[in-house]
Amino acid sequence: MIAMLPEEDAARATEINTKLLAHITKVGSDAKDFAPICEYVSAVLNTLVVRNEFDAELWASSVPVYLNSFMSDANATKVCEALLVECKAKWEIIPIDDSHPDDLCNVEFSLAYGGMILLNSARIHVRRGHIYGLLGHNGCGKSTLMRAIASKQLDEFPDDIKACFVDHDIDGSEAEISVLEWINEDKALAHLSQAEKKKQLDELEFTEQMQGWAIGSLSGGWKMKLALARAVLSGADLLLLDEPTNHLDVKKVAWLKTFLTDLKQCTTIVISHDSRFLNDVVTDVIHYERRKLIRYPGKLSNFVEKCPEARSYFDFSQSVQVFHFPEPGALEGVKSATKAILKLTGATYQYKTRSEPTLVNASAQCSMASRVAVIGPNGAGKSTLIKMLVGETRPTYAWGNGTAEENIENAYWRHPNCRLAYVAQHAFHHIEQHLSSSPVQYIQWRFSSGLDKEAQELEQMTMTEKERAAVEAKLLVFLKEQKGAEELDEAGNIKPGQTELVFDFMEKHDAKSNPVKPGMHGPQPRQIKVLLGRRQKHNVYEYEVKWIELDAQFNVWMPKDVLEKFGFGTFVREMDDKIAAESGNTRPLTTKEIQSHLDLLGLPEDFGTYGKLAGLSGGQKVKVVLAAATWFCPHILILDEPTNYLDRDSLGALTQAIKEYKGGVLMISHNEEFFGPICPERWVIPGDTTVTVTGAEWMEAVRAKELEAKKNASKLQIEKEVKLDAFGNVIEEGAGKAKVYEAKDLKLLEKQMKDMKKRNASADEMLDLELEIDEAKKQVDKAKLAAKAEKDAEKAKKAPKAAPKKK
C-alpha cells in the first residue's frame, strides 16, 4: 500500500507507520502478523495529513476500526489519540490570515436544524465580486444555510450585509397579478421609481407585452428571471441562488452565466448540480465536509482534482443509489404496450391575459411503451401541453365536427382504467401545506379515502361552468321496459322483479315552459346525485345513476356519452378514477408499507417515518413527491423537469428506474445528458404554436417485437401435444381441436383485414387477425402442395412406359 504512493507521500507514510508500530508496542500489543493492516492504516492517516485534517472525531472513525482486529478497543483508541498528537504537532498547517480589503464577510458559526447539527464551528469567508459554488450531498443543509443567511438567523453574520435568497417558487396565491404589478407591490423596492423598475425588466428581456402577463402564465424559466430581477433591484450585496438553472433552456442558461459574471460588486453563492454551468461561472468552491465549510479556490475542475470523491456529484455512472417504480399492471382491452391509452387531438390553448394562443391544433398520444422527452425553449408551451394531456387544464378551442364545447370535451381521451402519475413543475406547492407532517403521514392523508385527494381537488377546480350548472339541472328521463323480460306465473301475472326498466333517452327540463303539475303523468324531473358504479354492455360503458330524494330501486344505468353530453363529464371521470385507483390500491396504508415504498425511491426511515417535510432538502422532497405520485402503481408517469433539485447520484438512480419501468414515461427536461439515452421519442415545441413529433418510429420496432413474441407463443399453443400411454402408444390430445382453413376462409380473413385498415384500426386490434391469417396461409399453402404432389403422382401413373431397347 505504502509502496504505491508517490515518493514524498510514501516517505511520510513510512514514518507514520514507524510511529504506529511504536505505539502498538507501547500498549502491549504485537503487530508482527498484521503488517498489511498497519500499512493500510498508515496510508489512510497520510491522506488525512496531506489534506490537513486533524479532527479528533474523524481520526477516531478512521483508525480504531482496523486496529481492533488484533487489539482491544481501548488500546486501539489510545494508539489513535497518541498518533493524532504527534502527527498534528509535526505536520499541521496553521492557516495564515488571508483577510483582504474586498472581503464581504469572514465569520465562524454553527448551524442546526431541529435536533440535527448541520455545521459545527464552520467558517464562511467570501469576497465581493466572487461567485462561490456551494456543494454537498442532498440533505447536508445547503438550502438551510442559504435561508438562514437571508433571514438573518445567523447571529455571527454581519447585519449590514444585504442578502437576497432567490429560487423559482413564486407564491401560487400571486398567480393572477401581472409581472409589473408583482414588482411594484414589493415593499423592499418601494424606494425605486417606476422607471427604474421597468428598466431592469427591460434589461432582463421582459418585453412591454410580457410585463402585462399574469405570473401564473409564465414558464418556470421566466419565473426564475423575474425573481432575479427583484434581487438585483433590491441592491443586494450577496445573492443566494438555489438551483438557478432549474427550468432554464440552453439560451437562458447562457444568459445567466453572462449575467452573474457581470456582477462585479455583488457576491454570489450558488447551489447547482449542473457541472457545466458551475465550471463556467464559479471562482471558488465551498464544500460541506464533516460539518465544516472547506473553501477550494479556482474552477470546479480544480476542486474535483483535489477532492476526487466529489466526482460522483456530476457523473451518472458513479451512482450508488437504486430507485424502483412499482409494476403498473395490465389494462382491460390493452394487449399491446404500444396501444395509445392517452390522447390529445387538435387542441388549442390561449391564456386569458395573452393576445395570441400558446399552442394551436396540438396533437399527441402516449402508450405504456412510451419514452418521450418534451423539449423546447422557456415559454414555448411545454407545460401547457402536458397539463392538457393529463386533463389538468382544458383547451380553449379544439378542432372537430361537433359544437365548440363537444370538440373541447372530445379533444382529450384517456383509457377509463388508466392510472396517471403527474409530477408537476412546481410540485412542492402541495407538500408545503403539510410541513409539520412526516412523508409517511402525508401519503396516508393523501390516499386515506381510497382516492388521490389532490387529484380530486384538481378535478373540482377544472370543472367547466356547464358542468357546475349540470349538478343543479333538472332532467326528464324516459324509460322503457326491457323486451322479453316478462315472466308470468301460473295465474298469468308478471313475476315481481323480473321486469327491468332501462334507459331510453333524456332531455333537459324547462321549468318555465313545462312546469310540474300535481298528478301529471309521464317522466318526472329528476336531479343526479352521484354515480355509484360502472359496467360494460355491448362494448359501451354504462354508469349507475343515483337520483336525489329517490330510493335505490329507481337507479338507472346510463351510457357514458349521454352523461357527458349533458355536462356530467366530471362525474364520469371521478368514477373512472375511483375504479382505476381500486385496481391499483392493493397495499395497506400502514407505516411499514409506505416506508417500504419510500425506500424504493431512496428516502430512508430517518427521513420518511421520523422526519418532517419541513426539514427535508429539495432533493428529498422530490423523492417524496415521486413516491406519492406512484403509490397507485401508475400506467404512465409524467415528469415536468424531474432533474430539478436531484443530485447526480439520485439522477443516475432515476435513469435506471425509468429504463426498467414497465409503464410509459413522458418528461419535460432541458438536460439532454439525462433524457438523451432513455427517451428516443421527442416532442419538439419551438415556440411558434406547433408541436412536432420526432423519433416515433422506434415504437414500430417495439410493436414488431411484440408481434413476433405473440406469433411464437401462438405457434406453441397450436402444436399438438404428444403423450404416450402405458403401452407406449402416442396420444395426440390436440388432434381434431385445431381449426382447419380452406382457400375461401383465407379470402374472407384477408377481406376483414382490408376493412380494419380502412377504418384505421389499431395494431392491437389487428394482431389476432394477423395471427389467424398466418395460420390460414400455412394450411392453404400446405394443401396446395399436397394437391400438386398428388396430381403429379397421378400423371406419373398414367404416363406410357418407354419400350425396352432392342439388343
Side-chain angles (χ1 to χ4, degrees), residues 332-345:
E332 179 187 357
V334 178
K335 299 177 183 177
S336 170
T338 62
K339 182 177 182 180
I341 57 176
L342 187 65
K343 289 183 182 180
L344 183 72
T345 308

Side-chain angles (χ1 to χ4, degrees), residues 206-230:
F206 282 90
T207 64
E208 190 81 30
Q209 183 185 26
M210 291 180 70
Q211 291 177 29
W213 287 0
I215 288 177
S217 70
L218 295 178
S219 68
W222 282 106
K223 284 181 180 178
M224 173 57 76
K225 292 189 76 170
L226 183 58
L228 281 170
R230 178 172 62 176

Side-chain angles (χ1 to χ4, degrees), residues 605-623:
E605 190 176 39
D606 288 353
F607 300 101
T609 300
Y610 302 112
K612 301 297 182 185
L613 287 168
L616 300 186
S617 68
Q620 290 168 331
K621 286 179 180 177
V622 170
K623 294 174 185 178

